Amino acid sequence: MDGHFTGYASLFGVPDLGRDVVAPGAFAASLSARGAAGVRMLWQHDPAEPVGRWLSLTEDARGLRVAGQLNLAVQRGRELDALLREGALDGLSIGFRTQRATPERGGLRRLHSLDLWEISLVTFPLQPGARIAGKAAPAPPLADAIRAFARRVAPPRPTALGRPAAPLPHQKRFA
């Protein structure tokens, strides 16, 4: 595997187990200032355990969408990749400093502005919906894409008797 994955590190409008609710736009200033390269990817929020890098961090209508790449040159990265592949690990969690928040009814706290420092792969996320969506399929290499296209459009091959062979299951015969 190649260590790529996607998911949501935070969901907007959904209380976490600590009774915080992240508001849409809460990450905008931080993402603008830091970019994906300025936010660390850690294992279990441990600053001694960097495990990869974030390729993209974007806010959409649902929350903070992430795409990451585990560093497979380090042992922990290979271990996490194996756990992701097997479905044994799928949690994400954010590490941040609150810049602006307001209290809400029911003991909730709405987070309006956050300084995002890190996003961790975790066993148990505080935001139950903050999950890795699955392994992102890498784009096929150009040579493989060209070969696949050529197989689809190639004319039928002649048989030993000089007649066209029946098309392969993945080929269509054009009139």
Side-chain angles (χ1 to χ4, degrees):
M1 297 308 263
D2 66 358
H4 282 91
F5 65 93
T6 62
Y8 280 89
S10 179
L11 300 179
F12 295 142
V14 179
D16 66 18
L17 299 175
R19 307 192 54 77
D20 284 336
V21 178
V22 178
F27 300 103
S30 186
L31 293 178
S32 177
R34 291 185 195 278
V39 177
R40 298 292 168 240
M41 180 191 293
L42 303 177
W43 167 238
Q44 303 282 16
H45 298 291
D46 185 347
E49 290 261 19
V51 293
R53 66 187 178 104
W54 296 110
L55 303 174
S56 71
L57 304 174
T58 56
E59 288 188 315
D60 65 15
R62 185 171 181 216
L64 181 61
R65 180 149 177 77
V66 302
Q69 164 83 56
L70 292 168
N71 184 340
L72 301 181
V74 297
Q75 180 64 35
R76 179 71 76 200
R78 291 189 300 276
E79 292 168 355
L80 294 176
D81 187 58
L83 291 169
L84 288 174
R85 264 186 282 130
E86 296 298 319
L89 175 69
D90 68 352
L92 292 169
S93 183
I94 57 176
F96 60 90
R97 184 175 60 88
T98 303
Q99 294 179 311
R100 191 168 69 82
T102 56
E104 288 195 344
R105 288 192 312 211
L108 299 176
R109 181 174 72 146
R110 181 164 295 270
L111 306 174
H112 298 282
S113 181
L114 301 174
D115 184 15
L116 184 64
W117 293 347
E118 57 93 7
I119 303 170
S120 286
L121 283 79
V122 296
T123 310
F124 300 107
L126 194 60
Q127 169 58 257
R131 300 288 176 173
I132 292 169
K135 301 285 288 179
L142 181 58
D144 290 346
I146 291 170
R147 282 188 207 100
F149 177 74
R151 283 191 300 272
R152 286 193 307 272
V153 299
R157 297 172 307 196
T159 64
L161 301 173
R163 292 187 301 249
L168 296 174
H170 64 276
Q171 293 177 322
K172 291 183 182 178
R173 194 173 267 167
F174 298 97

